[in-house]
Amino acid sequence: MMSRTDRFELVRLSATDAGELLTVQRSAYADQARLHQDPNLPPLTQTLPQVLAELVSPEVVALGLRTAGRLVAAVRLRTPPGAPEALLSRLVVVPDQQGTGLGTRLLIAVESVAPQQVQRILLFTGEHSATNLTLYTRHGYVETHRTDAGAPPPAPPYQLVHLAKTLGREPR
Protein backbone atom coordinates (compact mmCIF):
# COMPACT_ATOMS: atom_id res chain seq x y z
CA MET A 1 0.00 0.00 0.00
CA MET A 2 1.39 3.43 -0.98
CA SER A 3 1.46 6.22 1.57
CA ARG A 4 0.25 9.69 0.68
CA THR A 5 3.84 10.88 0.29
CA ASP A 6 5.06 8.02 -1.97
CA ARG A 7 4.06 9.85 -5.13
CA PHE A 8 6.44 12.70 -4.33
CA GLU A 9 10.02 12.69 -5.57
CA LEU A 10 12.69 14.20 -3.33
CA VAL A 11 15.03 16.39 -5.40
CA ARG A 12 17.96 18.70 -4.81
CA LEU A 13 17.04 22.17 -6.04
CA SER A 14 19.38 24.21 -8.22
CA ALA A 15 19.52 27.62 -9.87
CA THR A 16 17.09 26.47 -12.57
CA ASP A 17 14.43 26.04 -9.86
CA ALA A 18 14.71 29.57 -8.45
CA GLY A 19 11.58 31.06 -10.04
CA GLU A 20 9.37 28.10 -9.20
CA LEU A 21 10.78 27.99 -5.66
CA LEU A 22 10.02 31.67 -5.13
CA THR A 23 6.42 31.11 -6.29
CA VAL A 24 5.98 28.18 -3.89
CA GLN A 25 7.57 30.17 -1.08
CA ARG A 26 5.27 33.13 -1.56
CA SER A 27 2.14 30.98 -1.75
CA ALA A 28 3.12 29.10 1.42
CA TYR A 29 3.95 32.22 3.42
CA ALA A 30 0.77 34.10 2.57
CA ASP A 31 -0.99 32.37 5.46
CA GLN A 32 1.87 33.22 7.83
CA ALA A 33 1.59 36.88 6.84
CA ARG A 34 -2.10 36.78 7.70
CA LEU A 35 -1.52 35.03 11.05
CA HIS A 36 1.10 37.58 12.06
CA GLN A 37 -0.60 40.56 10.40
CA ASP A 38 2.69 41.28 8.66
CA PRO A 39 2.75 41.40 4.84
CA ASN A 40 6.48 42.17 4.90
CA LEU A 41 7.76 38.81 6.08
CA PRO A 42 11.23 38.24 4.57
CA PRO A 43 10.10 35.14 2.60
CA LEU A 44 7.48 37.35 0.91
CA THR A 45 9.84 40.21 0.11
CA GLN A 46 12.80 38.07 -0.95
CA THR A 47 13.71 38.71 -4.58
CA LEU A 48 14.48 36.26 -7.35
CA PRO A 49 18.20 37.24 -7.37
CA GLN A 50 18.33 36.59 -3.61
CA VAL A 51 16.77 33.13 -4.01
CA LEU A 52 19.15 32.40 -6.88
CA ALA A 53 22.13 33.44 -4.73
CA GLU A 54 21.03 31.01 -2.01
CA LEU A 55 20.62 28.16 -4.47
CA VAL A 56 24.14 28.58 -5.86
CA SER A 57 25.79 29.10 -2.47
CA PRO A 58 28.06 26.21 -1.43
CA GLU A 59 26.77 26.73 2.13
CA VAL A 60 23.16 25.93 1.18
CA VAL A 61 21.48 22.63 0.46
CA ALA A 62 17.98 23.10 -0.96
CA LEU A 63 15.64 20.14 -1.18
CA GLY A 64 12.25 19.95 -2.81
CA LEU A 65 9.41 17.54 -3.34
CA ARG A 66 7.90 17.24 -6.80
CA THR A 67 4.82 15.44 -8.04
CA ALA A 68 4.05 15.19 -11.75
CA GLY A 69 6.82 17.76 -12.32
CA ARG A 70 5.28 20.32 -9.94
CA LEU A 71 7.34 21.63 -7.03
CA VAL A 72 5.04 21.36 -3.99
CA ALA A 73 7.40 21.66 -1.02
CA ALA A 74 10.93 22.83 -0.26
CA VAL A 75 13.43 23.53 2.49
CA ARG A 76 16.90 25.06 2.78
CA LEU A 77 19.74 24.23 5.13
CA ARG A 78 22.63 26.69 5.49
CA THR A 79 25.87 25.41 7.01
CA PRO A 80 28.88 27.72 7.21
CA PRO A 81 32.12 25.81 6.47
CA GLY A 82 33.11 23.60 9.42
CA ALA A 83 30.29 24.89 11.62
CA PRO A 84 28.72 22.51 14.16
CA GLU A 85 25.31 24.15 13.64
CA ALA A 86 23.16 24.61 10.55
CA LEU A 87 20.18 26.90 10.00
CA LEU A 88 17.04 25.34 8.58
CA SER A 89 14.92 27.91 6.75
CA ARG A 90 12.03 28.38 4.37
CA LEU A 91 10.32 25.04 4.99
CA VAL A 92 7.37 25.53 2.66
CA VAL A 93 4.48 23.43 1.40
CA VAL A 94 2.00 24.74 -1.16
CA PRO A 95 -1.40 25.43 0.42
CA ASP A 96 -3.26 22.60 -1.33
CA GLN A 97 -0.74 20.03 0.03
CA GLN A 98 -0.36 21.29 3.60
CA GLY A 99 -1.15 18.74 6.29
CA THR A 100 -0.26 15.74 4.09
CA GLY A 101 3.11 14.87 5.65
CA LEU A 102 5.36 16.71 3.19
CA GLY A 103 6.83 18.98 5.87
CA THR A 104 7.70 15.93 7.95
CA ARG A 105 9.33 14.26 4.98
CA LEU A 106 11.49 17.32 4.32
CA LEU A 107 12.51 17.64 7.98
CA ILE A 108 13.71 14.03 7.95
CA ALA A 109 15.45 14.43 4.59
CA VAL A 110 17.30 17.61 5.55
CA GLU A 111 18.79 15.90 8.61
CA SER A 112 20.18 13.16 6.39
CA VAL A 113 21.92 15.64 4.06
CA ALA A 114 23.38 17.85 6.79
CA PRO A 115 27.19 17.78 6.69
CA GLN A 116 28.68 15.27 9.14
CA GLN A 117 30.11 17.96 11.43
CA VAL A 118 26.66 19.41 12.09
CA GLN A 119 25.58 18.58 15.62
CA ARG A 120 22.54 20.87 15.86
CA ILE A 121 19.97 22.29 13.50
CA LEU A 122 18.53 25.69 14.36
CA LEU A 123 15.36 27.30 13.06
CA PHE A 124 12.78 29.93 13.94
CA THR A 125 9.14 30.58 13.24
CA GLY A 126 6.54 33.15 14.25
CA GLU A 127 4.80 32.75 17.59
CA HIS A 128 1.38 32.51 15.89
CA SER A 129 2.48 29.57 13.72
CA ALA A 130 0.88 26.90 15.90
CA THR A 131 0.95 24.25 13.17
CA ASN A 132 4.65 24.85 12.52
CA LEU A 133 5.49 24.80 16.22
CA THR A 134 3.64 21.50 16.62
CA LEU A 135 5.49 20.00 13.65
CA TYR A 136 8.90 21.06 14.92
CA THR A 137 8.37 19.93 18.51
CA ARG A 138 7.00 16.60 17.31
CA HIS A 139 10.31 16.08 15.50
CA GLY A 140 12.53 16.86 18.47
CA TYR A 141 13.05 20.60 18.14
CA VAL A 142 13.11 22.42 21.48
CA GLU A 143 12.48 26.11 22.06
CA THR A 144 15.67 27.94 23.03
CA HIS A 145 14.53 31.56 23.17
CA ARG A 146 12.31 34.23 21.63
CA THR A 147 13.13 37.51 19.93
CA ASP A 148 11.02 40.44 18.78
CA ALA A 149 10.17 40.31 15.10
CA GLY A 150 10.17 44.07 14.77
CA ALA A 151 7.24 44.27 12.38
CA PRO A 152 6.78 47.84 11.11
CA PRO A 153 3.60 49.65 12.22
CA PRO A 154 0.71 49.27 11.79
CA ALA A 155 1.46 45.53 12.17
CA PRO A 156 1.21 44.45 15.81
CA PRO A 157 4.47 43.24 17.34
CA TYR A 158 5.07 39.52 17.58
CA GLN A 159 7.91 37.25 18.55
CA LEU A 160 10.02 34.76 16.69
CA VAL A 161 10.32 31.41 18.43
CA HIS A 162 13.83 29.96 18.06
CA LEU A 163 14.19 26.19 18.24
CA ALA A 164 17.06 23.71 18.04
CA LYS A 165 17.49 19.99 17.59
CA THR A 166 20.58 18.04 18.57
CA LEU A 167 21.24 15.36 15.99
CA GLY A 168 23.02 12.88 18.25
CA ARG A 169 25.93 12.35 15.87
CA GLU A 170 29.47 11.56 16.81
CA PRO A 171 31.58 14.68 16.17
CA ARG A 172 34.41 14.33 13.67
Side-chain angles (χ1 to χ4, degrees), residues 73-147:
V75 67
R76 290 175 223 150
L77 186 70
R78 178 179 296 277
T79 309
E85 296 179 332
L87 178 64
L88 185 147
S89 65
R90 309 288 201 261
L91 177 62
V92 294
V93 178
V94 293
D96 68 313
Q97 295 293 323
Q98 291 176 2
T100 63
L102 300 182
T104 290
R105 185 164 171 191
L106 285 173
L107 278 178
I108 293 166
V110 84
E111 288 178 19
S112 72
V113 300
Q116 186 59 39
Q117 84 272 3
V118 172
Q119 298 298 304
R120 281 187 356 145
I121 296 179
L122 311 174
L123 62 83
F124 62 87
T125 191
E127 69 177 319
H128 302 302
S129 301
T131 302
N132 294 350
L133 288 166
T134 299
L135 173 68
Y136 298 139
T137 57
R138 190 171 66 233
H139 288 279
Y141 288 83
V142 176
E143 182 176 338
T144 60
H145 65 286
R146 292 180 180 223
T147 56

Side-chain angles (χ1 to χ4, degrees), residues 27-47:
S27 70
Y29 271 93
D31 188 51
Q32 294 303 307
R34 183 188 57 74
L35 286 172
H36 292 87
Q37 298 179 37
D38 184 359
N40 296 309
L41 296 176
L44 294 175
T45 60
Q46 189 174 28
T47 65

